[in-house]
Structures are given as structure tokens and as C-alpha cells.
Amino acid sequence: MLSNEMLYQLIYALAAKNGRDRVLFGDCAPQAFEAFRHSNASSAFPELWFELPLLGDPWFDLHALTSRDALDPNACFDPSTTGGYPETFAWFARQDNVRQLALSWDIGSRGANAPAIQLLVNSDDPMTTYGFLEAAGAPEAIEAYRTLRERLPRDWYPCYTGVFPTRRWADSPREARATDDTVPPMHVECIPSTKTQRAYADDITLLEEHLRLVGIEDMNETLLERCQYLARTPFALEFQLEVGTAGRLGSTFGASLRFTFPGDDTEKSYRVDGAAGDLMRQVEAWGLADERWRTLEETTFAKRLSRDDEDLRLYCFPTFIKLRWRDGEPLDAKAYLMAGIQARA
């Protein structure tokens, strides 16, 4: 029988073969495998995201996402298979308006000891997020999240919220907030509506108005112009906010684009000779990526196999590109690969 650990190793080997381990993944594979072993809350294989920098030494972080449908509401959860969050998984398993619970392991920078935990929701219901923050051991973040929500533009949908136990609140002067140990422990990802994204593409003043509304203070023409460039692409735009005490934003701000969704049968939407390639050439021209982005397309695969008479499909493909700014200045760019298993009809 193919165990989840064996399937993980197969997926990683396919994604990293032909020298891509050296180009994209670095030497993080052993730590990532250990993290994966602590990310199996049920027998169902979790959805994986490999987070890869596009400049500098190669490394990766690992995100393992468990779907609500994979969990038994009456199950007893083990700290060793839930990243140390059994109470959060128990809460998650009993909810309706939730989609996935993600364990995010900082393999490249902090090892595989204390993952972040992130909730992905089906619809915008603040009470669900309040319950998550309580269950994740961060009740002090509830008021900060409530304050942030009051500032969000009407057409921004907060799709996930994450708690980061190895970081602390940004409760210090701005000049001190630029260091990693002052990054706040809560991230909130927001998706503007398609209509609003198109409006940003046409009107940079509206984009600036909305970013200032949510609390971004360090903003220059480079940040605004690049965010508008992202809004003009054919891909869905998302913003990631670091939220500290009193709902104040941290020093780092992210903007990402999603190339495709699983099940769309459009894994090849990331192509060097397509719209994604045009975007990545611009990111490289901005000095945020080197030639490794051209290798991302080669990680795409869809393989059939059988397990216990079940017909499965193993997949991997580039899903996101994220740009980050710190104190208004360009910081880096990262790519995300999505991988996992789907049952074939």
C-alpha cells in the first residue's frame, strides 16, 4: 500500500527531478518531509503548496492544507499529526463555513518546529474567523481583526487568516518594524472583486485610496505602479496584510496573482510563452527574479496511479506569484507550486 509519506516523496521527486532540486528547492527536502509527517490530520492526502524564492539561494517552505470534508467531527486529534494544533483541528472539523486548514512550515528560515496555522473560508463571515483565532490560541487577535475589517473596501473578500506563533506583534516604531522579529503574528489575505481589480487597472488613484484605507502608510510610486501592473494582467489579484495590535499593519505588504485553480484542467496556464511568461519577464526586469522562473513550467505534471483499487491522479503545477514590499520598498518575489492527489471519476 502506498502511504501518504510515500506519495509525498513521489510528488516531490517528480517536481524536483532533472536538477530542479538544485535550481528551485535547495537542500530543504529532509526538513520538509519531516514537516509533512506532522501534517496528516486524517488519512486523506493534504493539498500541498511549495513556496519558492525566485532570487538568491534556493530553498522552499511547505504548506499542507487539510479539507474540512476529510475530517470526522467526532475524531480525537493528535498534536504530532496536526502541527501541535489539535484543538484548532477539532474546532475546524465541527464548522460549516470553512474550506481548508493550512499548516505553514518555515522550512527555509526557521526549520520545522512551529508552523503557522491558517484558515481558508467559504464565505465572508467574521464570526467564523473570530472562532478560529480563539481556537488557534490567539484571542488577543480578535479585536485587531475586527478593526481591520472595518477599514476594508466593500469589495475586498478576506479569504484566509493566519496565526504565526514564532513571531510577535508589531507594537514598536516603524523603523524597528522592518526586522523579522517584529513581524506581527497574523496575516489576512484579501481578494478584490473582479470589477474592483479592473477599476484599479484603469485608475491608480482608486488603488492608492484603497491601500491607504486599509492602513498601508509606506507607499511610493513603485509600489503603486507595480500593483497596477499586476491588476492589468489576466490573473486574479490578492493582497496580503500583516496585522498587529489595534489592527495596525506591519511593515511587509504582499500582492499575489493566481494563475489557475485545481480541477480547471488548465495546469498549462503557466507557460513561458504565455501571459504568465510575460508577467515573469517583467518581474525579472524589476530585479526580483532570475532565470529560474523559466524552470517552473517543468514542474507541471499529472500522473495516474492506483491505491487500494482507487484510481488517483497526482498533480503539480505553478499556481501563484507573490511580490512583497517592506516599508514601501520592493523586497522579493516568490512562486507557489500546488501539488496533491485527486480521485479520478
Side-chain angles (χ1 to χ4, degrees):
M1 175 181 175
L2 288 171
S3 66
N4 279 0
E5 287 82 2
M6 295 170 66
L7 290 170
Y8 172 88
Q9 291 178 316
L10 178 58
I11 287 173
Y12 176 79
L14 290 169
K17 70 178 185 178
N18 297 332
R20 290 191 294 275
D21 53 346
R22 298 187 303 273
V23 175
L24 294 175
F25 294 91
D27 59 1
C28 297
Q31 302 97 307
F33 178 65
E34 185 65 18
F36 175 79
R37 292 181 62 249
H38 294 289
S39 304
N40 285 262
S42 74
S43 60
F45 193 89
E47 180 181 289
L48 304 176
W49 297 351
F50 297 102
E51 179 181 348
L52 311 168
L54 295 178
L55 200 64
D57 294 335
W59 52 268
F60 71 97
D61 289 338
L62 179 70
H63 309 263
L65 289 75
T66 299
S67 296
R68 164 63 184 84
D69 294 343
L71 299 180
D72 179 354
N74 299 312
C76 294
F77 294 95
D78 189 331
S80 67
T81 57
T82 57
Y85 292 98
E87 296 87 356
T88 315
F89 275 83
W91 170 87
F92 176 75
R94 299 189 300 267
Q95 304 307 305
D96 295 323
N97 183 37
V98 293
R99 183 160 58 92
Q100 292 172 307
L101 198 61
L103 294 173
S104 298
W105 301 86
D106 285 346
I107 306 298
S109 59
R110 294 178 177 85
N113 296 318
I117 189 163
Q118 303 177 19
L119 175 71
L120 289 79
V121 295
N122 286 322
S123 62
D124 184 10
D125 176 9
M127 297 304 298
T128 299
T129 301
Y130 300 158
F132 160 71
L133 293 171
E134 182 78 34
E140 70 277 15
I142 293 175
E143 186 59 34
Y145 181 78
R146 181 182 291 114
T147 301
L148 173 70
R149 282 185 57 86
E150 293 173 353
R151 299 199 306 263
L152 291 182
R154 182 182 59 184
D155 291 334
W156 281 31
Y157 164 49
C159 61
Y160 87 68
T161 303
V163 176
F164 291 72
T166 60
R167 304 174 184 176
R168 63 185 178 85
W169 296 107
D171 205 6
S172 57
R174 181 172 295 110
E175 57 269 18
R177 288 196 278 119
T179 59
D180 284 344
D181 64 353
T182 59
V183 175
M186 182 166 62
H187 286 184
V188 179
E189 183 99 357
C190 296
I191 306 175
S193 68
T194 301
K195 178 181 178 181
T196 300
Q197 179 175 336
R198 290 172 180 165
Y200 294 158
D202 294 331
D203 185 358
I204 199 169
T205 60
L206 178 64
L207 173 62
E208 179 178 7
E209 176 186 336
H210 282 187
L211 293 182
R212 293 198 184 280
L213 180 65
V214 298
I216 297 175
E217 300 175 6
D218 299 305
M219 199 180 317
N220 54 34
E221 291 183 3
T222 299
L223 185 150
L224 286 170
E225 289 173 357
R226 292 182 181 182
C227 284
Q228 185 178 45
Y229 178 91
L230 299 181
R232 288 172 172 168
T233 71
F235 308 115
L237 177 65
E238 304 183 13
F239 293 126
Q240 187 178 90
L241 310 172
E242 292 181 333
V243 187
T245 48
R248 191 177 65 192
L249 298 192
S251 60
T252 305
F253 163 73
S256 62
L257 296 172
R258 183 163 191 157
F259 299 120
T260 188
F261 292 84
D264 288 347
D265 198 25
T266 54
E267 288 90 340
K268 292 185 179 180
S269 65
Y270 184 95
R271 297 192 306 273
V272 172
D273 62 353
D278 294 338
L279 166 65
M280 297 309 300
R281 275 181 279 274
Q282 182 60 69
V283 173
E284 185 177 15
W286 288 335
L288 300 177
D290 58 23
E291 67 280 355
R292 78 188 69 177
W293 68 264
R294 293 171 173 82
T295 309
L296 294 173
E297 184 177 353
E298 300 169 15
T299 66
T300 301
F301 65 80
K303 303 287 186 181
R304 294 181 61 180
L305 59 80
S306 296
R307 181 172 72 163
D308 296 338
D309 298 325
E310 185 179 17
D311 194 14
L312 302 177
R313 172 178 174 268
L314 272 64
Y315 66 87
C316 180
F317 55 94
T319 309
F320 281 101
I321 173 71
K322 181 170 74 174
L323 275 60
R324 297 194 305 164
W325 291 262
R326 179 163 291 162
D327 295 319
E329 297 300 323
L331 180 60
D332 56 22
K334 297 178 180 178
Y336 292 75
L337 308 178
M338 180 183 289
I341 298 174
Q342 291 177 330
R344 292 176 58 87

